[in-house]
Amino acid sequence: MQQDKQPEYGPVVFRDRSAGYAFLTRSTATSDRTIEWDDGNTYPVIDVEISSESHPFYTGKARTVDTEGRIARFERRFGEQGSSEG
């Protein structure tokens, strides 16, 4: 990286909309959108899809996935082929 072209490093709010969670940190990431923080100052805000508040690994809460429907659909399509080979 060139010496004269360092990115600006400043306060940014990252917001996880699915969990209703936001945190203020410092980053080189930028955004045109802003948010008023608890301290009364306005900071750039970046929306993220997932954070430690909504990720199943960190929360310990697994999300329910409809695997029964997928298994039943697989058995309908391929179940008879597998049983006639034996």
Side-chain angles (χ1 to χ4, degrees):
M1 184 177 274
Q2 296 178 356
Q3 294 296 337
D4 298 336
K5 305 256 179 169
Q6 297 292 325
E8 187 176 329
Y9 185 70
V12 177
V13 174
F14 287 92
R15 177 173 55 189
D16 182 352
R17 288 185 167 265
S18 64
Y21 176 70
F23 60 94
L24 177 64
T25 187
R26 295 180 57 85
S27 176
T28 59
T30 60
S31 176
D32 294 333
R33 291 179 286 145
T34 59
I35 187 172
E36 186 174 334
W37 196 243
D38 298 336
D39 61 4
N41 293 326
T42 302
Y43 300 106
V45 63
I46 297 176
D47 291 325
V48 293
E49 301 253 341
I50 197 162
S51 71
S52 61
E53 288 294 312
S54 62
H55 194 282
F57 178 79
Y58 295 109
T59 61
K61 299 176 186 173
R63 294 183 181 167
T64 306
V65 179
D66 181 25
T67 55
E68 182 179 345
R70 294 186 344 193
I71 293 169
R73 190 169 44 239
F74 177 83
E75 288 177 348
R76 278 197 311 268
R77 292 173 89 182
F78 303 107
E80 295 176 17
Q81 292 177 356
S83 61
S84 63
E85 288 181 18

